[in-house]
Each structure stands twice: as C-alpha cells, then as structure tokens.
Amino acid sequence: MQSAPARDYSRAGRAARRIFSTIFLLIILGLGIFFYWKYFYTYSSGNRYGLLQKFSHKGNLFKTYEGEMILSSVRSNNNIALASEKFFFSVADEGVANKLMNLQGKEVTVHYKEKNGALFWRGETPYLVDSVVSVEQNNPN
C-alpha cells in the first residue's frame, strides 16, 4: 500500500517542477524582451543640423566617441545664434567618428537613432549617430 502514495508524490513533484520551470522561462523571456526594448529597440531616428562644437574619444575601461552640437534655433541679422540648444550624442562606428573628428567647428547634419537607454560600451547617451549626412562649409560673408 505504500507504493500508491509514492506515485502521488512523484506526480506532484513533476507538476511542481513543470510549473517552476515554466515560470522561470517566462521570467527569462520577460527579462530578454525588456533588455532588448531598453537598449536595442530604436525609439526614434532622424537628422540634426548644427555646429559640431566638441568631439572626443574618452572613457576609463571602454573608450567611446562622444560629441556635442549646438543647434541654433533663432539667428540675428549677422547670422549669430541668439537662442540655442545642445545635442549630446555618441558614435559607435569608428569610420563615422573619424569623419566627425575632422569636422569640429563646422556645421554638419548627422543622422541619429535614439535608444531607450545607453550601454556603457556603446556610449554615454541614448543618441547614437550612425552617419554624417552633409557638411556645410562656413562661408564668411
């Protein structure tokens, strides 16, 4: 008579293991979806035009390319920016970084992708510049 309760315990044990493994897999799947959404999903993309003020290669353990552009919104008659906003961005591609390194002090248009979060090996900002669309030469008039 002892063998019947042992079977019940083994069935209950298998059912409990199946429930726990299903919950564990759902948690892992949920974490994977969250990680993808937070760090790899492109929230928005577009172009920004402005004066490339600063571009550097920095970091302690992971060196990343970081840039800063001044986006002018209101200009005076003498083409002087009266109101401006700064656009901070990161660059993951070394070829694009080399182009931007040579364009400091010039007005450029860059294409960016905005992520929901920044990964420390990819840059400090959620804005990742992936190409320089056009370069406008400063014309002294």
Side-chain angles (χ1 to χ4, degrees):
M1 290 246 180
Q2 292 179 348
S3 62
R7 283 189 215 147
D8 290 339
Y9 287 133
S10 66
R11 285 185 192 164
R14 281 189 295 220
R17 274 186 260 138
R18 187 175 301 139
I19 289 171
F20 285 130
S21 62
T22 302
I23 290 172
F24 179 74
L25 287 175
L26 288 175
I27 289 172
I28 295 297
L29 181 64
L31 288 173
I33 290 171
F34 174 76
F35 189 78
Y36 173 80
W37 173 81
K38 181 74 175 167
Y39 299 110
F40 294 97
Y41 174 74
T42 300
Y43 174 71
S44 72
S45 65
N47 295 321
R48 291 278 178 125
Y49 171 79
L51 177 70
L52 183 61
Q53 180 179 12
K54 178 182 172 186
F55 193 74
S56 62
H57 189 220
K58 65 180 186 176
N60 291 320
L61 185 59
F62 292 95
K63 297 281 190 185
T64 60
Y65 293 99
E66 305 298 326
E68 178 180 316
M69 286 175 55
I70 297 176
L71 309 173
S72 299
S73 55
V74 178
R75 293 188 179 265
S76 70
N77 292 340
N78 296 333
N79 207 18
I80 298 173
L82 298 175
S84 62
E85 172 187 351
K86 288 188 178 181
F87 174 62
F88 297 97
F89 62 91
S90 302
V91 177
D93 183 13
E94 196 167 338
V96 174
N98 289 334
K99 287 180 189 176
L100 288 170
M101 220 31 120
N102 297 323
L103 296 174
Q104 289 183 67
K106 297 187 175 145
E107 293 184 348
V108 297
T109 300
V110 295
H111 183 267
Y112 71 92
K113 292 181 181 177
E114 181 183 2
K115 306 297 182 181
N116 289 317
L119 291 169
F120 57 89
W121 65 82
R122 200 167 55 186
E124 294 178 351
T125 69
Y127 297 99
L128 296 174
V129 168
D130 57 4
S131 66
V132 178
V133 176
S134 67
V135 177
E136 293 292 324
Q137 298 297 328
N138 292 337
N139 293 326
N141 289 344

